[in-house]
Amino acid sequence: MRWLRRLPATTVYVGLLLVTAGWMVSQPVREQARFIRHNSSNVHHLEVGKWWTLFTSALVVDGVPVLLGIGAVAAVLGLAEWRWGTLRGFGIFLVGHVVATLLTEGAMWLMKLAHLPGALSRARDVGISYGLVATASCLLALGGRRVRRYGLPALAVLLTVAWAINQELADAGHVVALGLGVLGAHTPWLRSAAQRRSQQQRPNPLAPAKSTPPSHAPSAAGPQP
């Protein structure tokens, strides 16, 4: 299928999410909790060198219904990969996930060093949302004028209000991921791909217009005498 060839990263990632979700459903609750605990990219795991949790944490859909989360990934990541190519589309998703995790967990690590209340070194930190928010905000920032004017501020307000109300680590990470996506949209690496696609979709004014073939219909007037 043509769309599978154009969306290899989305296809593989969605497949991994489905396999992981299917495996977790088949396990008892204790085993599910153990899997999430061992794949959380928290301060403790990063301190002891388990850096691979930065990637395996993105294999778990957390905080939303599983099929809804996987569907959102398929739609957002698929659109980014379709528009910008595999390297750029999956790249912004991966950078958003990893960098937002490092920044939020880095802040938690500093709070731990300062002995501030609320610092959790073994926090539950898994999910797809950081990469999803970064990719979605990048798409909005590179979208049309109305999308940039209304869609991006609406997403920013929604995530900021959620952070102010819940005051959770994940909500802070969503705001960070939003900023990363907007910054990514202003890099030449992504802007060049967006501009190239826009030029491909725009009609070329220098292209010769199609000429209308002459009509061979018989004249309405009768033959000349």
Side-chain angles (χ1 to χ4, degrees):
M1 298 175 68
R2 183 169 175 263
W3 64 272
L4 284 176
R5 293 196 300 268
R6 288 196 60 176
L7 305 176
T10 303
T11 303
V12 171
Y13 185 43
V14 167
L16 288 173
L17 291 175
L18 288 171
V19 169
T20 305
W23 177 82
M24 290 189 67
V25 168
S26 68
Q27 300 299 311
V29 175
R30 179 179 297 179
E31 183 61 29
Q32 294 180 27
R34 177 181 172 277
F35 181 82
I36 291 175
R37 185 171 65 252
H38 283 285
N39 288 282
S40 290
S41 51
N42 52 37
V43 172
H44 170 70
H45 283 159
L46 298 180
E47 279 183 330
V48 299
K50 293 183 177 181
W51 292 89
W52 44 266
T53 58
L54 287 170
F55 305 100
T56 58
S57 60
L59 295 176
V60 180
V61 178
D62 191 44
V64 296
V66 172
L67 292 181
L68 178 62
I70 295 177
V73 168
V76 174
L77 179 57
L79 180 59
E81 189 176 8
W82 186 276
R83 286 187 173 181
W84 309 325
T86 299
L87 186 61
R88 290 179 175 88
F90 192 68
I92 190 64
F93 185 96
L94 189 61
V95 168
H97 172 76
V98 172
V99 176
T101 300
L102 288 175
L103 290 176
T104 52
E105 293 299 338
M108 193 67 68
W109 179 70
L110 292 175
M111 291 174 61
K112 178 187 173 186
L113 289 182
H115 302 286
L116 296 177
L120 301 174
S121 62
R122 298 174 184 263
R124 174 190 179 118
D125 193 0
V126 294
I128 57 174
S129 56
Y130 292 172
L132 194 62
V133 170
T135 308
S137 61
C138 194
L139 283 167
L140 292 173
L142 289 173
R145 183 176 301 176
R146 290 186 178 181
V147 172
R148 292 195 304 269
R149 180 176 296 179
Y150 302 109
L152 192 58
L155 180 61
V157 169
L158 179 66
L159 296 177
T160 304
V161 169
W163 182 25
I165 295 175
N166 300 326
Q167 297 184 356
E168 296 286 345
L169 178 67
D171 295 307
H174 294 154
V175 177
V176 172
L178 173 76
L180 292 172
V182 174
L183 287 175
H186 288 82
T187 60
W189 189 55
L190 278 175
R191 291 190 72 86
S192 61
Q195 290 171 357
R196 186 162 57 248
R197 176 179 173 82
S198 177
Q199 290 173 357
Q200 290 174 351
Q201 293 179 337
R202 189 181 307 156
N204 187 2
L206 300 179
K210 292 184 178 180
S211 58
T212 304
S215 175
H216 298 286
S219 175
Q224 295 289 336

